[in-house]
Each structure stands twice: as structure tokens, then as C-alpha cells.
Amino acid sequence: DISLRAPSQYNYYSVYITVHQQIMKIRIWGCRGSIPRPNPEMAGYGGNTPCIEVVSSSSQNTDGCSGDSGHDDGHRIILDLGSGAFDLGQKILGEMFQQKKKLENMEKEHSERKDGDEGEVSSKPDGSSAKKRSKFGGSILITHTHWDHIQGLPFFVPLYLPQFEWTIYGPRGVAKSLQETLSGQMQHDYFPVRLGDMASGPTYVGLSEDIKQGFWLGEEEASTSIKVTSKYLNHSVLTLGYKLEEFAQIPQSDSSSGSRKRAKRGVSMAYITDHEPFDHALAKGGFVASSINASTHPGHHLSADHSHTQFFKNVDVLFHDAQYLYSEYSPESATPKEYWGHSTVEYVVEVAFYANVKQLLLFHHDPQRNDDQMDDLVKYARKKAEELEEQYGGCMASDEKRVLMKVGAAREGDIYELDPFIFMEGDDVDVDDRNESDLGVSSQYQLSASKNSDKQSVLLGLYRTEAGPICDVLQSCENTLDVKVLQNSNDILQFAQEKQPSVLVLDEHLFGCTGFEVCEEIRSNMGSWGEQVSLLVIASPKDDSSHGEVSVSTETKEQQADRLNVEDYIQGPFSTSYLLTRIQVSILRMPLRWRRAPFTSSESQRLITLQGTGLLDSLPEERFDRITRLCAHTFNVPISLVSLVDKDRQWFKSNTGLPCATQTPRDHAFCTHAILEDGIMVVPDALQDARFADNPLVEGGPKIRFYAGCPIKVSSGEGNDKMPIGTLCVIDSKPRDLGEEELRALKDFGAMVEREISNFHQNSNGRVV
């Protein structure tokens, strides 16, 4: 309490509190998930989709949450632009006209005074006069671009007026900029006004994960400022969670320099929406128990869910996606919600409790849950919190600042007030000389970009791998990647030290030393950047001559890659599209959901057997095409293939449904996984399968969602051994599954293909004799 401190020491601060008596306010304009629900039975919690307004302490009017960023020292931040943004926009317009009138009256009063009048009183505690700003506006933070989080953007009127100045932040994509992504819903076919027609001329800033440095919002002379940090969430598209921390500005005791200190203990909130537990087993609870148990084991490392929790540790208010109960999420439920990208109440209460959150607000309410059901859900969540406190509160009591967590649910229209002017002794942070680079838009491009650049950069340390095709693909990513190619290990290390690129791709053998030795130097001697930067190593071609057969040297290198935290030790043939995707997800710090199948344990013999069939690059034959046509008809799918898996490609002996396609790179092929199976491999939904979700054949044409492949095996010529040379597969663009009878039928069709191959003899012209 400031009143307990000596007035002489904190006189300026005391006066400021007396004059302003302001607090940070948070207002909820929308908290429903997925789709707006203007339903009377949901009016209590609200039907608008996500939109939250945060107004810093010194820019508020007395009639409600919304202040105006066009006056005083504060700043307005809007989190997401769901359908709730429409009403917020109307409120902001009213405030603008109100503030303009207020400023006109102030100017009129000021003009009536004489210059240097001793009776003149400033409206600010430091004696400076209030200044008029020509622009209103603020900052908009978009978590992701799913429709329910941006559908209010076209109807947010302040974006269309030149009196406003907005900066729109959101996840930085790789293939598209934030502006391009947001403009998608405003194309002529869907909306009569284009994004480019917004007269406010908003600035668009792409963000990456940045949980430490962050960036500051507010003005240089502001009495408070807000620090924004961001973290990737586990959702079906690139999604960021945000933490906002407001710090009070306090001048030093010898204020001759005019610089200020920021008090570390201000107020904080975190906004975590559209997030699914990384470990799905935790959806039913158990996070607290597992975390406490893990912490007792020396050398344990944080799980992804534990890291998620650390991001919002000790915040005052946590908005967290809690769309489902576990009974709705569970794979055993009638319509399971697993992999839908949302959290359960059980999971959220546990992570919030473990993080010592003061106020938990359940968010992103299910569009089918009415007010009575929401009330029951809140009671259930509070009961879970009480049980956790009773069971584990004592175990976590060593934390002197531990609080009893309050649990509620976000309601449209609710306002939460937080006081940032709480100065706690010994908690100063980032003191002295607040530079322009610490605040506002001037520093926003440094968030996760490479040093001295507003772009992500990739360093290719390639000595044996041809760099040209890789550079062409990387540089085709518009406005995203700077690419540097070096061969000498000394040059690579010098460039890495000076420029700190986002990702390094290294050949295993370089000029001067090995790629692993470069990795060792970076990890050991280049500070926090070197410890965290993404490293990829391309195996030397000579080490792939065994085609994946186990050897001591390969095992040693894989262990070395693990020790150095190399994200991918790329062995065997790979496509440039795979490397591009690998680099993209490394930059975005997302898990790669595209796994290249390992080689079979006897890959050399398998390739010899395939070549011995004489099928590769042979002419089409009706006897194989007849089988794929029958498969497509029998299983009611658009695509059926006889696919042969070669060293660096899959080649189609028969193709029904993919006109003009003859082959794909090997690492694109689902069939490379299928030949490792004894029986039929079925992928009901490729988008939900970590092996295939980022595969180009899933993200682009033919947009594979369902796949079933029956391995085709032929005699290797050595005893009774049979080698898998490819598959008979069926493919659909819609998720589905196969029943027992359908599995037997596909196996029978596969046997027919094997019988045709066993009878296959061809002359040099490819004609069967």
C-alpha cells in the first residue's frame, strides 16, 4: 500500500495517484466460441464471438471501460475482432466525438487565459500541459485468423475513418502475410468493401513466439506502459496466446535526468484462446499431480504443457479456452472433440491452479451451451479448484506469493478493474533511460526476426548439397525469408555470431569441419540465441549408401544430433518441399506434422527386388488399370493407385483419378509408411494425423483426408522371402474409415495385383508376352 511508504521518498508517485485515481480496465465484448449465438437462452453469458478490450490506466472515461487512445497517456488494446467488435466500434465512435468536444472546450478555455498567467493549472502532475493528438486508435492483437476471431473486422467502423490510427498484430505466417490472410474474408465474392479501402490505413505487423523480450505499447511520456509477450498455442492453425503486463512509471529520486523506472509489479492478464492440451491424456485432469511428481526427479525437463503453464504464471487474470468438458472431449463420447483444438474445463482449472493464477475466467464458450448449463459448468470448475487446493495447496505453499484462485466464466459486458500503481520494494525492472526502441511500433519488427533484420533469415551451410534449388524454393516465400549460402565452417560461424539467423541448415560435412562441430560451437559459445536457434543437419550422401540399414556410425550420429538438440537429422533422399516445410515450422516453433517414413530394415534388397520386376517406368496396362477402377467403384472413392516406392520417388503403375500424374517425391508418399506395415494401413483423417497433416498432398491437391494402402509384396528370389515394393491404395478428400468387410475386399484386390505382377514378363518394348 503506497500510503505506508514515506511521502518524501515517493512524493511524485503519491501526487500522481491522488490526481488520477485510475485503474486498468478489461471489458468483454464477446466470449462465445465458433459462431455467434443471438439466443435468449444464452444472453446471460453472451452470444458474440471473441473480442476483449483492455484500456491502460490513464486513458479511461468515467462512464465505462472504454477510454480513448487519442488523449492522455494511455493505450487501448483490442484482443481479437470477433462479432463483439461491432458494438465496441460503435462505443469508440461515441467516445471520439465526446473527446473532440472536450478538447475544443479545453482549447477555448486556454485561449482565454493570458500567457504566463500564474493561476494556470496543468492537468498533469508533472506540470506539463495536456496536448492534443490528431489521431485516435490503438493496437489490435489477433490470436489467429479463424473466422470467429476476425469476422467483426469488416464491421469495425473505426478502421474506416481517417481520424483513427491502428496497428494490427497477428501470427506471422510464412506463405502469406497477415494482411493477405485477413483480406481473404473481404474479397469481392464475400464482402462489398476491400481491406485496402480502410481509410485509417492500419499498419500490419506479423508476430512470432516471444515469451521473454516482447514489445511495449504506449507513449514515451506515459505514466504506465504495457508489455506484450506471445506464445504459440496448440491449435489447428498458427495461433498465439498473449500476456499483457502494465507497469507504473516512477522517476528516480535524483530526477535530474528525467528518466523513469518501471515497477515490475504492476498488473497482468493472459489471453489463451483456441488451445488443446499437448498431451491429450491431461484433458481429463492430472496435470498438477504429474507436474509435482516430475519436479521431484532431478534432471527432468519441462513438458510442452508445463511450458504452456509457465507463460501465464502468477497473472492477475487468465482468460483460457475451456470449450469442452472431458465427457464431451473424450474419444469414448458420442461425438468426440479430440483434435478439434480446444481445452477441457478439467485441464484448464489444473493448469491455472498450478500457475498460481489469481482469477481464472473460462472462455470461448461452446455455442450449444446455454446459460443454465454455463452456470453448472462454473460450479463444477469451482469444485475442482477447491479439491485441488485441499489436496495440493500444502505441497505448493512454499511459494510465498501463492493465492487462493478465484474461478468464473467470461460474461459479455463484464468489466474487470486492475490497479497497476502497486509499487513493491525491490521489484524494479528495466530501470533507467526508457528509449524509444523499448516502446511502440519502432521495435515491433525485432520480435523474433533475425538480428539487424525485419525478416526471418535462413543460413544454408552447404558444401555437398546443391544449394540452387533450395534457395529458389526458400526465396519464393514472399516477404518472408532472407537466404545466405556459405560453405566454409569459419564463415558460417562468423555469420551466425554476427547476424543470428532464424534457422541454420548444415551439411554433415563442410569445408573445414563437420556440421555437428559447428552445432557444438553454436550451442556452447553463442549465448541464449545459440542455445535456442533451430539447427537442421543433412546427412552426408555416402552415409546413406546403406539406405537406412542399421550401423554403429549412424546410431552414433543420431545420438549426437539428439545431444545437440538438432531438430532434424535428415537422412536419405528428401524433396525441397519437405525442407521448406521443415524450415517453416522451425521458424514458427511449431511441431512438424509431416514425418518421412524410415527405410525398411532391408532397403537395398527391397530396391533390387523392385527393379527386378521390370515394372518401373513401363507402359500403362489394362490388367492393372482394371483393378484400380474396380477399387474406386467398390469403395466409392475418387482415387485408386498401384504405387511403387522407388529410392527417391513413388511411381504410379496404375492411376485412376489423378489425370496426368505419374509420380511424386518419396517423402510425399503415404505409401512409404504403408510398406512398413504387415497389413493394411488406414488413415481416417490425414489432418488429424501427425505424420501427414503438413504434407503437401494434404494441404494442396489432391487434398488427401482418407487413405488406405495394402502392401504389395513379391518374391525377392531368396527362399520364401517377400519384399514390399509398393501398395494398392484408395484415397478420398473426405474423412472416413473402412469396415471389416471393406478391409477384406481391399486385401483381395491387393492379392490380385500381386498375382498379376508374378505373371509379369516384358520385352524391351514393354509388351507382355
Side-chain angles (χ1 to χ4, degrees):
D1 190 328
I2 192 66
S3 63
L4 299 179
R5 305 204 178 270
S8 60
Q9 185 179 0
Y10 299 110
N11 185 56
Y12 179 95
Y13 184 74
S14 301
V15 171
Y16 192 88
I17 290 293
T18 302
V19 172
H20 283 260
Q21 288 292 326
Q22 296 287 8
I23 52 182
M24 174 183 178
K25 290 187 178 180
I26 304 167
R27 180 164 180 171
I28 302 168
W29 294 90
C31 51
R32 187 69 58 174
S34 304
I35 187 171
R37 292 303 312 274
N39 189 318
E41 294 183 353
M42 301 179 182
Y45 288 86
N48 278 313
T49 53
C51 182
I52 290 181
E53 179 191 22
V54 180
V55 182
S56 62
S57 58
S58 53
S59 64
Q60 297 153 12
N61 297 324
T62 58
D63 60 339
C65 170
S66 299
D68 192 281
S69 293
H71 74 288
D72 291 340
D73 299 324
H75 199 78
R76 170 185 282 113
I77 299 173
I78 301 171
L79 295 160
D80 279 333
L81 289 174
S83 61
F86 175 80
D87 288 332
L88 171 57
Q90 299 303 303
K91 183 69 158 51
I92 291 173
L93 290 179
E95 290 172 351
M96 179 191 71
F97 293 117
Q98 197 175 52
Q99 180 63 16
K100 276 192 170 183
K101 185 175 180 180
K102 178 181 176 181
L103 289 173
E104 289 172 359
N105 291 336
M106 290 175 63
E107 289 177 347
K108 182 178 179 181
E109 180 183 354
H110 186 270
S111 66
E112 293 174 353
R113 296 175 180 169
K114 295 179 180 180
D115 293 337
D117 188 347
E118 293 181 358
E120 183 175 355
V121 180
S122 172
S123 62
K124 297 188 71 177
D126 61 355
S128 63
S129 60
K131 66 176 183 178
K132 176 183 176 181
R133 296 183 191 169
S134 59
K135 292 283 186 179
F136 301 84
S139 303
I140 299 170
L141 303 179
I142 303 295
T143 58
H144 64 299
T145 53
H146 274 168
W147 196 24
D148 54 329
H149 293 257
I150 62 171
Q151 61 193 168
L153 183 147
F155 303 95
F156 188 66
V157 178
L159 284 171
Y160 295 90
L161 301 179
Q163 295 93 331
F164 288 89
E165 199 170 74
W166 299 98
T167 302
I168 302 177
Y169 301 84
R172 173 186 295 166
V174 177
K176 287 185 178 181
S177 68
L178 174 64
Q179 185 174 1
E180 288 173 321
T181 304
L182 291 175
S183 68
Q185 67 171 337
M186 297 181 69
Q187 294 176 9
H188 181 70
D189 290 344
Y190 309 116
F191 199 73
V193 182
R194 295 176 301 172
L195 192 71
D197 294 332
M198 293 178 170
S200 65
T203 300
Y204 298 89
V205 180
L207 302 177
S208 300
E209 180 178 282
D210 184 3
I211 62 176
K212 292 183 179 180
Q213 178 183 349
F215 61 102
W216 295 86
L217 296 174
E219 296 295 330
E220 170 69 19
E221 70 277 12
S223 57
T224 62
S225 59
I226 293 180
K227 180 182 179 181
V228 181
T229 47
S230 55
K231 183 169 178 57
Y232 287 129
L233 305 181
N234 187 26
H235 195 49
S236 54
V237 298
L238 191 63
T239 304
L240 286 173
Y242 296 107
K243 180 165 63 176
L244 310 182
E245 299 170 274
E246 183 169 12
F247 299 92
Q249 304 294 319
I250 302 169
Q252 299 183 44
S253 55
D254 59 344
S255 57
S256 58
S257 66
S259 60
R260 296 176 173 179
K261 288 186 178 182
R262 290 194 284 274
K264 184 175 182 180
R265 176 64 180 101
V267 291
S268 57
M269 65 160 288
Y271 181 64
I272 310 294
T273 182
D274 292 52
H275 172 78
E276 184 168 8
F278 291 97
D279 182 353
H280 292 189
L282 295 175
K284 61 182 176 182
F287 174 81
V288 174
S290 63
S291 297
I292 292 176
N293 291 336
S295 65
T296 62
H297 293 84
H300 81 286
H301 48 81
L302 297 182
S303 67
D305 289 289
H306 199 122
S307 176
H308 173 71
T309 303
Q310 292 297 303
F311 180 64
F312 47 79
K313 185 177 181 180
N314 295 324
V315 299
D316 294 294
V317 178
L318 170 64
F319 292 87
H320 200 298
D321 168 18
Q323 183 159 341
Y324 305 127
L325 292 163
Y326 180 70
S327 58
E328 300 162 339
Y329 176 92
S330 169
E332 285 74 37
S333 69
T335 54
K337 306 300 191 300
E338 189 178 13
Y339 297 105
W340 285 28
H342 296 285
S343 292
T344 63
V345 173
E346 293 86 348
Y347 171 79
V348 172
V349 172
E350 293 222 7
V351 296
F353 173 82
Y354 191 80
N356 194 34
V357 169
K358 296 170 183 60
Q359 171 76 66
L360 168 63
L361 293 173
L362 309 177
F363 193 73
H364 207 272
H365 309 322
D366 192 282
Q368 299 186 70
R369 211 180 303 281
N370 62 33
D371 289 339
D372 291 339
Q373 292 168 332
M374 281 299 306
D375 289 340
D376 292 340
L377 184 143
V378 172
K379 291 177 183 177
Y380 173 71
R382 287 173 177 167
K383 182 179 178 182
K384 297 291 290 184
E386 291 171 0
E387 292 172 352
L388 289 170
E389 182 65 36
E390 182 178 343
Q391 185 172 2
Y392 299 108
C395 302
M396 305 175 70
S398 58
D399 187 346
E400 296 179 359
K401 298 180 181 179
R402 181 140 195 93
V403 298
L404 187 64
M405 182 175 70
K406 298 179 181 179
V407 178
R411 287 177 179 263
E412 196 172 307
D414 278 2
I415 297 174
Y416 291 83
E417 300 179 342
L418 303 175
D419 185 354
F421 297 99
I422 303 173
F423 186 76
M424 301 188 72
E425 190 172 7
D427 257 349
D428 293 349
V429 66
D430 297 333
V431 300
D432 303 320
D433 301 327
R434 177 178 170 188
N435 300 318
E436 288 187 7
S437 62
D438 294 330
L439 295 171
V441 178
S442 60
S443 65
Q444 62 203 7
Y445 291 101
Q446 299 175 12
L447 297 182
S448 289
S450 306
K451 191 173 181 179
N452 303 323
S453 172
D454 62 358
K455 284 186 176 183
Q456 303 284 358
S457 72
V458 178
L459 172 57
L460 300 179
L462 303 180
Y463 182 61
R464 297 188 176 183
T465 303
E466 185 179 357
I470 299 173
C471 288
D472 292 342
V473 171
L474 294 178
Q475 292 173 334
S476 68
C477 298
E478 185 177 355
N479 300 322
T480 302
L481 300 176
D482 281 331
V483 182
K484 179 72 173 180
V485 181
L486 297 170
Q487 293 183 332
N488 185 289
S489 58
N490 291 329
D491 295 339
I492 292 170
L493 289 170
Q494 181 178 352
F495 184 90
Q497 181 75 59
E498 294 176 356
K499 301 298 184 181
Q500 297 186 354
S502 309
V503 179
L504 283 82
V505 183
L506 305 171
D507 265 342
E508 184 177 334
H509 294 289
L510 299 166
F511 184 80
C513 68
T514 69
F516 285 122
E517 289 173 320
V518 171
C519 292
E520 183 88 53
E521 178 67 19
I522 289 172
R523 290 289 190 233
S524 302
N525 299 315
M526 295 194 183
S528 59
W529 169 82
E531 294 172 358
Q532 299 176 25
V533 67
S534 296
L535 302 175
L536 312 176
V537 175
I538 300 173
S540 175
K542 70 177 183 179
D543 293 322
D544 294 328
S545 58
S546 63
H547 298 294
E549 295 175 7
V550 177
S551 68
V552 174
S553 61
T554 300
E555 289 179 336
T556 301
K557 289 171 183 176
E558 289 173 343
Q559 291 171 354
Q560 194 172 9
D562 288 340
R563 178 176 60 82
L564 294 171
N565 195 24
V566 172
E567 290 191 6
D568 200 346
Y569 179 46
I570 304 172
Q571 303 179 66
F574 63 90
S575 62
T576 54
S577 57
Y578 173 80
L579 186 59
L580 172 63
T581 303
R582 174 72 268 184
I583 291 170
Q584 288 174 344
V585 297
S586 295
I587 289 174
L588 299 174
R589 300 185 189 177
M590 297 286 284
L592 177 64
R593 300 187 301 164
W594 177 9
R595 296 179 189 167
R596 300 164 69 239
F599 291 109
T600 63
S601 58
S602 52
E603 182 69 5
S604 297
Q605 185 59 43
R606 192 194 69 81
L607 290 174
I608 292 172
T609 302
L610 172 60
Q611 294 290 340
T613 65
L615 290 169
L616 284 175
D617 299 310
S618 62
L619 297 175
E621 295 186 69
E622 176 61 21
R623 56 180 178 160
F624 291 108
D625 293 343
R626 184 184 303 116
I627 295 174
T628 55
R629 287 198 304 269
L630 283 171
C631 278
H633 177 76
T634 301
F635 299 104
N636 192 26
V637 296
I639 300 169
S640 179
L641 307 168
V642 173
S643 170
L644 305 178
V645 179
D646 201 0
K647 177 182 178 181
D648 56 2
R649 61 172 177 161
Q650 70 167 343
W651 182 80
F652 306 138
K653 174 57 183 173
S654 179
N655 174 352
T656 295
L658 286 178
C660 301
T662 59
Q663 63 185 29
T664 75
R666 176 172 175 144
D667 52 19
H668 290 42
F670 284 50
C671 300
T672 58
H673 293 266
I675 62 174
L676 302 176
E677 304 287 335
D678 290 330
I680 295 172
M681 185 184 84
V682 179
V683 180
D685 188 349
L687 280 177
Q688 307 300 336
D689 194 312
R691 296 171 296 176
F692 306 113
D694 292 331
N695 189 304
L697 302 181
V698 177
E699 291 194 328
K703 295 190 177 297
I704 298 174
R705 294 294 295 276
F706 163 78
Y707 170 93
C710 177
I712 302 301
K713 300 180 180 181
V714 300
S715 175
S716 64
E718 297 183 1
N720 295 322
D721 290 342
K722 286 191 171 185
M723 291 289 169
I725 62 169
T727 71
L728 170 67
C729 61
V730 290
I731 296 169
D732 202 344
S733 58
K734 300 187 294 291
R736 56 172 292 183
D737 209 339
L738 294 183
E740 290 298 325
E741 291 187 5
E742 290 174 309
L743 290 171
R744 283 195 294 269
L746 184 57
K747 186 175 181 180
D748 290 341
F749 281 122
M752 293 170 60
V753 173
E754 290 178 350
R755 185 167 60 251
E756 293 296 335
I757 293 175
S758 67
N759 296 329
F760 184 83
H761 301 285
Q762 63 181 38
N763 61 18
S764 59
N765 294 321
R767 293 176 296 181
V768 176
V769 296

